[in-house]
Amino acid sequence: MKNIMVTGGAGFIGSNFIRYVFSQKDFKGKIINFDKLTYAGNLENLTDICEKYYDKRYFFIKGDICDRKAVEKTLEKYEIDTIVHFAAESHVDRSILGPEEFIKTNIEGTFILLQSSFNFWKNSKNTRFHHVSTDEVYGSLGPKGYFKETTPYDPRSPYSSSKAASDHLVRAYSHTYGLPVTVSNCSNNYGPYQFPEKLIPLIILNALEGKNLPIYGDGKNVRDWLYVEDHCSAIWTILKKGKLGETYNIGGECEKQNIEIVKKICSLLEEIKPSSKNPFLKSKKYSDLITFVKDRPGHDKRYAIDCSKIKKELGWKQAYDFDKAIRETIKWYISNESWVKSVKDGSYRNWLNKNYSYR
Ligand code: NAD
Ligand code: DAU
């Protein structure tokens, strides 16, 4: 892996992945971050990486994966040998309100990347297309059982359907044309730099400001939580040791009901930043802010990943324990005030203009 194109590298997991790869002693190559900078793309997530590596080992291209010419030009100019494909519309609620962008980016964009890399790599060796996907393609579980790599697909939201379609396309390019691909399907991530539309950062930031903590339905839906750095290490392991054409499930083996997560955040906040000293709380406790709201349409009940394949075959395992990592995550959102402020006031979207030298 000399020249890695990371699509969606300005997003939550992509930016954590770029930081993770640069911290690996055995990586000596370059990373080209190809990102459209939608509302979810935030170059402030990578300020430290820019300062250290920009124009030497880290490059940024503002581009859309649906733009075939921009994709082809990037593959050629940077002699890309590895693609790690994160770019997607990622939020289920948004897909319910407006599915069109999901179909465009997640399906059409993935197709353009596949076709362009196939054309570009025709006579090359040692190339790889890694597709980052989700456990949501498998549908919803009852109280028992786990998603395995062999579980039939049963996507139920516009988001998960678009990801399922992209997974099928990736496998079709492997099976039909011999494109060197690997696929991973991962459970819910949490950690630094997550956009506060997702449950965990939304609850932390709302609580700190004394706003309601919205819980959909009865709060008993279950997700399997994985610290983002563990997702990054799993992808890195697949890139190094994964078998071509294979799919690997990645999960935290950490099932929690949403209500448990929200209560846990409230109790940790009482410890780290007591409500009695928080002027926004006005003699309330954080847990007093919990508010049950109308359920998400088609809300999947339970996700749980069986990740024994990547553990047994590739020797990966999670390094982070939930109690410790959620505490660190809360502290990160408290101590990174300027990141939070620019996300809230929207000024993160001007990062490129403010930091002209990185254009
Ligand atoms: P995110 O929404 O934080 O980031 C997505 C990034 O993709 C943004 O930087 C955005 O600007 C970019 N992007 C969107 N459309 C683009 C386009 N047309 N061209 C180029 N760039 C574009 O998402 P995330 O949470 O970091 O998720 C990354 C990937 O991981 C997604 O493919 C998602 O399906 C998958 N995934 C996420 C989770 C999770 O818990 N967040 C779990 C499993 C899998
Ligand atoms: O499972 C992997 C998926 O996890 C990824 O593929 C998606 O990209 C990612 O967004 C995430 O999807 P979820 O829908 O599970 O994440 P979200 O944070 O939106 O919601 C987590 C759970 O919390 C879910 O059951 C819905 C619930 N929820 C969410 C929000 C935003 C609430 O109860 N209240 C909320 O305000």
Side-chain angles (χ1 to χ4, degrees), residues 124-353:
S124 320
K125 285 195 178 125
N126 298 326
T127 55
R128 174 75 71 91
F129 188 111
H130 181 73
H131 178 59
V132 180
S133 192
T134 169
D135 59 357
E136 301 200 6
V137 297
Y138 298 122
S140 182
L141 292 163
K144 286 190 183 151
Y146 297 92
F147 297 135
K148 292 177 185 292
E149 287 81 357
T150 49
T151 303
Y153 273 32
D154 183 21
R156 295 146 52 96
S157 72
Y159 163 70
S160 54
S161 307
S162 67
K163 290 297 287 187
S166 69
D167 294 9
H168 291 317
L169 277 170
V170 174
R171 294 196 187 99
Y173 268 75
S174 161
H175 185 76
T176 311
Y177 305 113
L179 191 75
V181 311
T182 43
V183 177
S184 54
N185 294 86
C186 187
S187 63
N188 286 62
N189 286 214
Y190 66 99
Y193 304 105
Q194 187 165 31
F195 196 78
E197 62 186 353
K198 306 289 195 309
L199 182 70
I200 288 183
L202 177 86
I203 296 299
I204 297 171
L205 297 183
N206 274 14
L208 288 169
E209 287 187 13
K211 293 182 180 162
N212 283 347
L213 310 179
I215 299 190
Y216 298 163
D218 62 6
K220 292 190 176 152
N221 300 64
V222 173
R223 298 291 182 265
D224 172 357
W225 293 94
L226 179 74
Y227 189 59
V228 64
E229 197 178 312
D230 280 333
H231 189 183
C232 297
S233 72
I235 295 171
W236 191 237
T237 304
I238 296 168
L239 286 171
K240 294 206 298 188
K241 301 192 209 160
K243 256 175 75 182
L244 292 184
E246 290 290 316
T247 293
Y248 299 91
N249 278 356
I250 306 167
E253 298 177 297
C254 175
E255 287 182 53
K256 306 256 180 240
Q257 290 186 343
N258 294 334
I259 183 73
E260 280 180 74
I261 295 278
V262 176
K263 284 186 175 163
K264 177 86 187 172
I265 293 173
C266 290
S267 76
L268 285 170
L269 279 173
E270 290 296 350
E271 240 183 75
I272 301 168
K273 197 170 169 131
S275 53
S276 55
K277 292 191 185 143
N278 182 334
F280 288 113
L281 268 292
K282 294 189 187 125
S283 77
K284 277 186 175 170
K285 291 200 168 311
Y286 289 113
S287 56
D288 294 336
L289 303 171
I290 292 176
T291 310
F292 289 90
V293 299
K294 195 164 169 270
D295 208 355
R296 171 186 281 175
H299 196 176
D300 286 341
K301 190 73 191 176
R302 174 173 166 257
Y303 303 146
I305 280 271
D306 175 344
C307 54
S308 54
K309 177 175 171 181
I310 185 172
K311 286 184 144 181
K312 277 191 201 131
E313 293 185 12
L314 308 187
W316 171 83
K317 64 173 195 252
Q318 309 88 347
Y320 289 87
D321 149 82
F322 182 78
D323 281 0
K324 213 170 148 207
I326 190 74
R327 183 185 286 274
E328 290 311 310
T329 301
I330 292 173
K331 286 188 181 161
W332 188 89
Y333 284 95
I334 291 175
S335 54
N336 283 272
E337 269 174 33
S338 73
W339 184 91
V340 170
K341 186 176 171 298
S342 68
V343 167
K344 291 215 162 202
D345 67 19
S347 59
Y348 71 102
R349 302 208 70 177
N350 297 326
W351 195 93
L352 267 186
N353 292 334

Side-chain angles (χ1 to χ4, degrees), residues 18-19 22 31 33 43-60 193 338 351-352 354-359:
I18 291 174
R19 183 169 295 101
F22 276 125
I31 294 184
N33 175 7
L43 287 173
E44 266 187 49
N45 296 357
L46 288 163
T47 305
D48 55 331
I49 298 296
C50 266
E51 280 168 6
K52 233 171 149 179
Y53 300 111
Y54 191 75
D55 231 5
K56 296 189 267 293
R57 296 180 60 203
Y58 169 74
F59 302 83
F60 173 70
Y193 304 105
S338 73
W351 195 93
L352 267 186
K354 279 192 291 182
N355 297 276
Y356 199 78
S357 54
Y358 294 121
R359 281 150 69 102

Side-chain angles (χ1 to χ4, degrees), residues 11-13 35-36 38 41 64-65 86 90 105 133 159 163 189:
F12 163 49
I13 308 174
D35 198 299
K36 182 179 171 183
T38 66
D64 184 340
I65 55 168
F86 291 97
S90 70
T105 286
S133 192
Y159 163 70
K163 290 297 287 187
N189 286 214

